[in-house]
Amino acid sequence: MDRRDFILISLASGLSAASIARPALATSGGLEVFKTPTCGCCSAWVEHMARAGFNVTASDVDQETLWDMKDRAGATPALSSCHTAFIDGYFLEGHVPAGDVQRLLMERPDALGLTVPGMPIGSPGMEMGDQRDAYDTLLVLRDGSIDVFESHA
């Protein structure tokens, strides 16, 4: 099936055009990750998610494409990190722990996704021995507001 057939079948089956226009959203437990080819911490996060049982597909993209994906998903520059992922209609921005993603998928809040802004030391993919920064995983709601989803000491 080519892309045109997929879009036509999707529209006929009731999917909205907006859902098709979003960046390739992973579904059914599949995790689609977009990162730049030179970022080692992104690859380490991909490995963390795979070890946690997620079916991960990682794609290298240029920085401009990545920033465009973040913007379309709702990850503002203040909320961004080095990689962006999609799963079951949600975006994941940065070094979100696998347990937080599992909770997101169980609770299914009416939200855009989760983010761990920046690159906190000790977050998945940013391990540096015993050193750890405290950080929050943030839930980005559909109206753009933010709630703390989980705090990590």
Side-chain angles (χ1 to χ4, degrees):
M1 171 186 317
D2 66 19
R3 183 177 186 184
R4 183 175 179 269
D5 289 338
F6 170 77
I7 291 171
L8 291 174
I9 291 168
S10 297
L11 288 173
S13 67
L15 287 178
S16 71
S19 66
I20 293 170
R22 293 191 75 169
L25 298 178
T27 58
S28 302
L31 177 65
E32 192 163 5
V33 181
F34 297 91
K35 63 182 195 59
T36 58
T38 58
C39 190
C41 66
C42 296
S43 297
W45 184 78
V46 166
E47 291 172 15
H48 164 78
M49 297 304 285
R51 282 191 311 271
F54 288 92
N55 180 18
V56 183
T57 303
S59 299
D60 290 336
V61 296
D62 62 66
Q63 192 64 56
E64 184 176 329
T65 300
L66 190 57
W67 280 111
D68 184 52
M69 293 177 108
K70 293 172 190 300
D71 183 54
R72 287 186 287 143
T76 65
L79 298 175
S80 69
S81 184
C82 51
H83 55 269
T84 303
F86 300 94
I87 188 166
D88 285 349
Y90 293 106
F91 79 80
L92 305 172
E93 180 66 20
H95 297 270
V96 178
D100 292 355
V101 178
Q102 291 162 341
R103 178 179 153 210
L104 174 78
L105 297 175
M106 282 181 38
E107 294 179 4
R108 306 288 309 166
D110 186 24
L112 296 174
L114 296 176
T115 180
V116 172
M119 300 166 71
I121 295 171
S123 62
M126 289 296 298
E127 294 87 354
M128 294 186 181
D130 292 335
Q131 188 177 355
R132 297 205 180 282
D133 293 338
Y135 67 94
D136 291 328
T137 299
L138 305 175
L139 179 68
V140 181
L141 301 172
R142 293 195 182 280
D143 67 2
S145 62
I146 308 298
D147 283 339
V148 173
F149 188 76
E150 188 69 45
S151 292
H152 302 275

